[in-house]
Amino acid sequence: MVARAPLITRGALALFACGAVGAAENPQLSVTPASGLVDAPFHVVIRNVVPGSRVKVSAQRPDVQGRRWTAVGVYLADANGSIDTDTAPSLDGSYQGVSPHGLWCSALPVAPEQLGAYLAELPKHPELGTAPTLDASALYTVTLAASIDGNTVVTATATRSYAAGIVPEEVTAAGGVRGLFYPSPAQVPQKVPVVVLAGSGGGLPQTQAALLASHGHPALAQGLFAYKDLPSTLRGIPLESIRAAAQWLEQRTGAHRVAVLGTSRGSEAAGLAASYFPQDFAAAVVLVPSHLSNGAFGPGITDVEAAWTYAGKPVPADRGETDSNNAGDAAHSNEPPGFVGTPYYLKTWSDPSISSTFGIPFERMHGPVLAIGGGADEMWPSFIGAEQIRRRLAEHGKSDMVEMHIYPGAGHLVSRVGSGGPLSSFVFHPVAKDFEATGGLPNANCEGSYDAWQNVVQFLAKVKPR
């Protein structure tokens, strides 16, 4: 008599056989596209592993200091022995849950299990940073590896860039214009040129300008302060310098009008310039914006002072920024996640009388405006700012002039494409010299930043420069 195998044994044998079939071919790892811009999808697929396998995937890339930043996801292979990171949740690593761009956004300078120690060192060494510093003109190779039980089973590479091959031109022009000009590639049809303005950190918004140029928008990354011979703080900046930048860009490209893009405090400059000099600006993009003109920003500023001037006179300013500046030392934390600024603006940002006194007159513009806010912004309430811009234009019968997107769960860095992961909810501020909360959930920051940037590109593509 032949003994019959227990059903559980036969089931196990069937599962083993199925796994053997699934693993018969060599494992494959692909990234789509294999090369592209930073704002392209980062679609990672693993095939031909044993169904149910726990697969660890790492994606490593360098920064300008030569440090390696690595994103890590841990996934379970499906019944076909495949993993598609667009839909498969990461169970561990540098991000958790479903995030199609997680293997780009969540890159860390240390292994995920060492993140606590890294954060402990940040207050003493803020220069270590919370995001990789990238050269806007470089081509970055991402090295990916998939491993099972500690053994690497397959590798692949991909490349990403903001503007690889585009050589920026240093600009020093009349009217206080300082910056870098990124021409669009010869093979890309030229679209509306863009003046690009940074926020309260000052300096140049090079990566945004480079990425716009790659999409066919010749872009001038203009410095307003904290760059070369410009003022060191955001105080008394003449709006005429932005008009001068627009006119320089018009002459350089042959366009009759240009667009302007500003982030955070730069959104004020963008909105004010487009409103006061509508003949030069065909459109405005305001990322994580304020609808008000706010006061000066920088060390030692305790009273409301003008951040901007027009025709030699100070532009009246709301006091939210000043209240934030005057927060006690305990609030200005030297440890992450740091100072939460949003509460200091809430009293005035929804007040109609404040809006009528200090509101940016977007209705004067001769073109459309795109406003993008973060629904969990902790630096300031950009979700209110974007909505108030929409309301103001609606009240002036110009609802068709505004496009608005607010990203629930995303913070201030929804304005920075590719930002996400455990280090995306705070920054070390280069001017305030403290840690400041930017807010948002890691995956919401990541995916929101990609969607927001696609909305920017699509919006600007419709703007006519002539």
Side-chain angles (χ1 to χ4, degrees):
M1 179 176 176
V2 179
R4 298 180 62 186
L7 289 177
I8 188 169
T9 303
R10 287 200 285 177
L13 288 171
L15 179 61
F16 178 83
C18 182
V21 170
E25 300 180 50
N26 290 330
Q28 297 178 353
L29 192 161
S30 64
V31 184
T32 306
S35 62
L37 297 173
V38 166
D39 59 1
F42 200 75
H43 184 205
V44 178
V45 175
I46 298 98
R47 295 186 177 89
N48 301 334
V49 297
V50 175
S53 297
R54 189 177 177 93
V55 183
K56 178 180 178 180
V57 182
S58 63
Q60 185 182 87
R61 67 185 192 268
D63 67 7
V64 295
Q65 284 105 10
R67 291 196 297 165
R68 313 296 295 186
W69 290 70
T70 307
V72 178
V74 178
Y75 316 89
L76 290 181
D78 65 17
N80 296 313
S82 299
I83 296 164
D84 183 335
T85 60
D86 276 9
T87 56
S90 172
L91 308 178
D92 201 355
S94 58
Y95 83 98
Q96 288 81 47
V98 177
S99 181
H101 297 91
L103 285 174
W104 176 273
C105 289
S106 68
L108 301 174
V110 295
E113 58 270 21
Q114 298 173 327
L115 184 58
Y118 183 83
L119 291 174
E121 285 295 307
L122 267 181
K124 291 179 281 186
H125 299 284
E127 72 278 1
L128 291 173
T130 55
T133 303
L134 302 178
D135 181 346
S137 298
L139 180 68
Y140 288 93
T141 297
V142 187
T143 302
L144 295 97
S147 62
I148 299 174
D149 296 329
N151 300 311
T152 300
V153 296
V154 63
T155 62
T157 60
T159 59
R160 292 292 183 270
S161 69
Y162 290 94
I166 296 178
V167 179
E169 304 171 15
E170 185 75 40
V171 177
T172 301
V177 180
R178 305 288 185 273
L180 286 175
F181 171 64
Y182 288 84
S184 57
Q187 68 274 20
V188 178
Q190 182 172 304
K191 302 170 186 174
V192 66
V194 186
V195 175
V196 189
L197 308 173
S200 61
L204 299 183
Q206 294 184 49
T207 56
Q208 287 178 324
L211 200 49
L212 285 172
S214 294
H215 283 283
H217 299 279
L220 174 62
Q222 182 183 9
L224 296 177
F225 69 101
Y227 179 70
K228 294 206 167 184
D229 60 342
L230 295 173
S232 60
T233 57
L234 177 51
R235 173 191 272 162
I237 308 298
L239 296 174
E240 286 79 5
S241 67
I242 305 169
R243 182 190 191 188
Q247 293 175 336
W248 181 91
L249 192 54
E250 290 164 8
Q251 293 173 356
R252 178 67 173 76
T253 62
H256 291 171
R257 292 195 300 164
V258 302
V260 60
L261 181 151
T263 301
S264 193
R265 290 304 304 264
S267 73
E268 293 172 45
L272 287 165
S275 300
Y276 289 157
F277 308 111
Q279 66 274 21
D280 289 296
F281 294 99
V285 176
V286 288
L287 305 178
V288 288
S290 170
H291 62 297
L292 306 174
S293 175
N294 292 277
F297 173 77
I301 297 176
T302 57
D303 296 321
V304 177
E305 299 181 37
W308 319 102
T309 66
Y310 171 64
K313 298 179 180 179
V315 175
D318 178 52
R319 66 171 301 106
E321 187 72 84
T322 307
D323 290 343
S324 175
N325 288 343
N326 289 337
D329 291 341
H332 285 287
S333 174
N334 289 320
E335 296 183 2
F339 175 61
V340 178
T342 288
Y344 295 87
Y345 302 89
L346 296 180
K347 290 182 180 178
T348 58
W349 276 39
S350 295
D351 186 331
S353 65
I354 296 294
S355 293
S356 63
T357 304
F358 303 115
I360 298 170
F362 285 95
E363 67 277 4
R364 297 184 187 176
M365 286 180 55
H366 290 175
V369 58
L370 170 65
I372 291 176
D377 195 333
E378 292 188 335
M379 188 161 271
W380 71 6
S382 61
F383 51 96
I384 296 177
E387 169 61 14
Q388 292 288 9
I389 292 169
R390 186 199 66 77
R391 289 185 187 182
R392 182 175 186 118
L393 286 167
E395 289 168 358
H396 284 83
K398 297 184 175 182
S399 296
D400 59 336
M401 280 183 55
V402 61
E403 178 181 335
M404 182 188 73
H405 301 274
I406 296 175
Y407 291 88
H412 206 70
L413 295 188
V414 73
S415 58
R416 184 182 299 172
V417 65
S419 177
L423 298 178
S424 67
S425 61
F426 61 91
V427 295
F428 184 81
H429 200 286
V431 175
K433 304 298 183 187
D434 65 358
F435 286 96
E436 305 213 351
T438 53
L441 299 170
N443 293 355
N445 289 338
C446 175
E447 301 307 329
S449 75
Y450 278 92
D451 192 76
W453 187 256
Q454 288 305 309
N455 280 314
V456 170
V457 171
Q458 292 168 13
F459 173 84
L460 288 173
K462 295 180 288 187
V463 177
K464 304 301 180 185
R466 299 182 182 277

